[in-house]
Amino acid sequence: MADPADFFKDQLPFRSWPTIPTVLRTAYATVPELVKSDPILQVESAEDNKGRLISWAVDFGLKRAIDNGSLPCDYRWRTFAKPTGRYLELRFSHSTASVSQIEDPKRQPRNVAFRENARLRAPSLFADIEEKEPLSGAPHFLLVHGHQELNFAHFGAPSSTSKSKWTWLSQNLMKLPHGMASEGPDAEDTDVDLDELNLLKEDIERWMKDNDGSK
């Protein structure tokens, strides 16, 4: 069984993780200034939708971090199941991730169609069971952050058998040391099961090849 924490660090090196709290702090700090500068955003109905402004500011910050190389991944804009808008999808070599504001870091975000599909897409990749279900897509992670107040941020792998629990949840990214990012390679982790990790990546690569490279 591949460990989801090891797999995610393979997808996004740990030295890049401090970029996330930097992006989030900047986004959350920008929203009040934006509201102050535009009377349209000061009406009560706009105040009730502050979360949307935060979401857009975070998307902008992540896109800019990817464009300037601070986050070593790609992105694309995906349409919601009901075509009411688009969401940002982070794209790694063998997985994807989406972003969500939540109130309780111990629970997955509310169940919407695209997250439900992603949750069920690769149901037993990280499960310690004998009968693993066939791979039907690359793993999908979530980047979740505090709703209204920026108290926490985590990467997480949703449980495939629960709509609320996590298979894996990272440490609170907002508590990472500011100066930990470096230009050098990550320190070698001798506890990583490279055989399991590589086998999982090979399975994903075969699935992508059989499905025209789609994640």
Side-chain angles (χ1 to χ4, degrees):
M1 175 185 68
D3 182 273
D6 294 339
F7 180 82
F8 189 77
K9 287 178 183 177
D10 173 86
Q11 298 296 285
L12 183 66
F14 187 60
R15 65 180 181 274
S16 299
W17 289 20
T19 299
I20 299 298
T22 299
V23 166
L24 293 175
R25 288 190 184 99
T26 301
Y28 274 70
T30 298
V31 168
E33 297 302 316
L34 183 63
V35 170
K36 254 193 249 182
S37 69
D38 193 337
I40 291 175
L41 300 177
Q42 296 169 19
V43 297
E44 285 77 1
S45 54
E47 184 178 344
D48 292 340
N49 285 278
K50 177 185 174 185
R52 289 183 180 273
L53 295 178
I54 292 173
S55 177
W56 296 335
V58 169
D59 284 351
F60 175 80
L62 291 171
K63 176 183 178 298
R64 183 168 59 180
I66 295 169
D67 288 340
N68 68 26
S70 299
L71 280 179
C73 63
D74 200 355
Y75 66 87
R76 66 178 173 182
W77 296 98
R78 300 293 303 271
T79 303
F80 290 115
K82 294 182 179 179
T84 54
R86 288 176 288 178
Y87 66 94
L88 182 67
E89 181 182 76
L90 308 182
R91 295 174 60 78
F92 308 105
S93 64
H94 295 78
S95 63
T96 58
S98 56
V99 189
S100 183
Q101 295 179 73
I102 58 175
E103 294 184 7
D104 183 358
K106 295 180 181 179
R107 296 178 61 86
Q108 294 181 37
R110 65 185 179 86
N111 198 37
V112 296
F114 83 90
R115 279 196 293 263
E116 173 71 359
N117 292 337
R119 184 176 68 81
L120 297 174
R121 198 161 60 190
S124 59
L125 290 177
F126 303 124
D128 190 12
I129 55 178
E130 292 184 6
E131 295 294 327
K132 290 191 177 292
E133 298 178 36
L135 185 70
S136 58
H140 184 79
F141 294 88
L142 295 177
L143 169 58
V144 294
H145 56 91
H147 180 69
Q148 303 292 343
E149 298 296 329
L150 186 56
N151 298 319
F152 63 84
H154 300 270
F155 289 117
S159 169
S160 62
T161 58
S162 169
K163 294 183 179 181
S164 63
K165 297 179 181 179
W166 299 96
T167 295
W168 165 73
L169 196 66
S170 77
Q171 67 194 91
N172 187 348
L173 305 178
M174 303 311 300
K175 295 184 177 180
L176 289 176
H178 290 283
M180 66 169 284
S182 69
E183 297 298 323
D186 288 338
E188 183 177 356
D189 189 341
T190 56
D191 292 330
V192 174
D193 190 331
L194 293 177
D195 289 338
E196 289 289 344
L197 188 62
N198 289 329
L199 284 173
L200 174 56
K201 290 169 68 174
E202 288 173 6
D203 287 343
I204 295 169
E205 288 167 3
R206 278 194 292 271
W207 188 92
M208 292 169 62
K209 182 179 180 181
D210 293 342
N211 289 271
D212 300 320
S214 172
K215 292 182 186 176

